[in-house]
Amino acid sequence: MTAPLLTGAAGPATDRTVIGENLSLPLFRTLSGVLAGHPYLKVVVDRAEDTWHLLDTAAHPFHVDYIATRVLGMDLAALDAELDAFNASVYMDPGRRFLLGVLSLHTDEDTDGRERTFLVLETTEADTMHGELLQSFYAFVRARVDGRLPLLLKPANHGQEEALAAISELLVPRVLSHELFGTRARTPLNPGEATGRLRFFRTQEEYAAAEAGLGWADIVAMPCLPDDVPRVAGFLNTAPITPLSHTNVLASGWGIPNAIVRDLEQLVERDGLDGAWVRYRVTDEEISLERLDHEPDLRAPAWHQQRIRLEPPLLEDVPVLALHRLRAADRDRYGTKAANLGELHHVLDSRTADLTAFYGRPRPPRDDLYGHLAARLGLSDPTESELRARAAEFVAGAVGAPEGVALPFALQQRFLASSPALQQGIGKLKMALELDATDVLDSLCLQLQHLIRHTPVPEPVIGQISQAFPASSDSRGRLVVRSSSNAEDLPGFSAAGVYDSVTTVHGTGELLDAVRQVWASLLSPRSVRLRHQVGISLDDTYMGVIVQEYVPATLGGVLVTCDPTRREDFRNVYLNCSPGSPEQVVDGSVLPQQYLYNTVEGGGRTVALGSWGDGLSAAVRARLADLSLTGRLLQSHFSADDVDRPLDIEWLMTDRGDFRLVQIRPYAL
């Protein structure tokens, strides 16, 4: 039995585009395609001819191709040769001839619970229509659409929202993106396909009772999966989460499908899916769940044979160092997070790194995106060196790197070597791993963690930590202690949310407790199991520690330099934020505000307001646009071996209004 969640429609074999006709619902359905579960139709208004074109979606996937070839008589080669200029003429020229948009069909319930069908008109995200053009576009379409169908205009970006604010909703009825999609029943989060057994849990208690029996062939479905979920075949959430939550970062790193399906409980009850073998598929446009008639003959997934090898950690006696003295090559002594923050300091201080390489990659039919970057940076026809210098200056002015110190692996090694009980416990754990005695792993790990938290730190180690802070421990304010392992942010192994950080530390006693807690997290049952599954040896795994002074934040969050739900999109940066600490975003304790910022043509749009009823001010959104462009520019340096590999950046805005980047790492794709 198949339970389709979102379906697509096959297009017609011939072009059935119509010109000048009024639009009825039957005609709409004839010409439309399906995107994200909603029928949609492209429209082109020709102001010079006072007519419109209703494009057959299957025959004309791009507005500009249709206008150039069918209306203006150009060939595609000529269009490609001047594509950016042509796009500017149809999307940005205030006196443009053509108005381009999309009509999509939606349903919801009215106040009496009756189903209501309505149309939504919107432009592309890069369109800069001013208020008068938006009003004209809406009026033109409204006059030609079946009057029984309500028509709402959806502004495609923040600029259009601000332009519409001065126009009465009686003249232009509207709906904002987060209002339209905030309660969407089904949302793809991470693409992928899996065949496995569906395990549906209504509560955390149900999940906890079954957790020990979950395996690689299970697809786990519940309102919100816990961060410590074991490695399985797929995730399904019945409550909203964001693409940047820890569990979705895990899904991305593990390459498994993940989606939000709010009505899954009804489907499970209707089709008896709990415990059934299913084929589960998530794409950008479709979520499907097919019940299988019999248990399939499954092979163990590739990660069962996957073996990740670490560079040997360097354990020589190196000092505690300020973060700004580290570089990327220090990851084998101080851990990946600390080394990346040191590299960030270098980029901001030296201003010598090439931050333009992402824009230099060909994006056919464009040879490069340098012209777009120049426009974003306020330059006109710069030389290559001028563009690089301006990019470095922009980034250095937009963000700061956190101050703090990094404790090397050598300190952890000296601490572990100081205790015979710890050495004995580690020996037992290694033996259990060699024998694959998974039934005793958890108890051995928990015993070791308890020992680490309560074993005294040797005086020489305390001395090295204390010397890093000239001021008296008791006179310092709040500290933040973060993990920095060599067994994270690796190809095929992200370890997002696996290791501990402690954010409320005061005084030397609490600092030592926090350092031991971070060291102990390297031996948690979950972290040991996850590393063992991919062949990371316990002998090669070490934990550095970052110690920073706490910086109060008015806003914090995470950005990734891609659109996590549309992997082929090279334009947009996805940003989540909430008042206060970034931890609230990544741990799922709140639903953050979500934004997309176009780092090619410019502009941004609100995706969701999360747990807050009001969006951010236009001024703050503009600052977030600069932050997003900064993330994209940093990608050129931190992903130099493949500039299309996105970054995952945790950030905060201080009470003085400046940005600090507190973590920077590859985003697992």
Side-chain angles (χ1 to χ4, degrees), residues 241-255:
I241 65 166
T242 81
L244 302 188
S245 66
H246 270 152
T247 52
N248 197 54
V249 172
L250 286 176
S252 179
W254 292 342

Side-chain angles (χ1 to χ4, degrees), residues 18-24 27 52 54 140-141 143-146:
V18 299
I19 303 172
E21 292 185 20
N22 286 352
L23 181 63
S24 63
L27 179 59
W52 70 338
L54 306 176
F140 189 100
V141 174
R144 290 161 178 80
V145 170
D146 188 332

Side-chain angles (χ1 to χ4, degrees), residues 351-365:
R351 305 191 186 188
T352 58
D354 177 14
L355 304 182
T356 68
F358 174 87
Y359 290 86
R361 174 159 291 187
R363 312 286 174 182

Side-chain angles (χ1 to χ4, degrees), residues 6 49 172 251 350 371 418 449 594 611 644 655:
L6 298 181
E49 299 293 335
V172 183
S350 71
S418 71
Q449 287 190 289
Q594 303 173 47
S611 301
D644 277 339
D655 51 10

Side-chain angles (χ1 to χ4, degrees), residues 530-548:
L530 288 175
R531 292 194 305 268
H532 183 60
Q533 286 172 349
V534 296
I536 296 177
S537 169
L538 189 62
D539 285 328
D540 293 336
T541 308
Y542 279 85
M543 179 66 75
V545 180
I546 300 169
V547 184
Q548 302 164 268

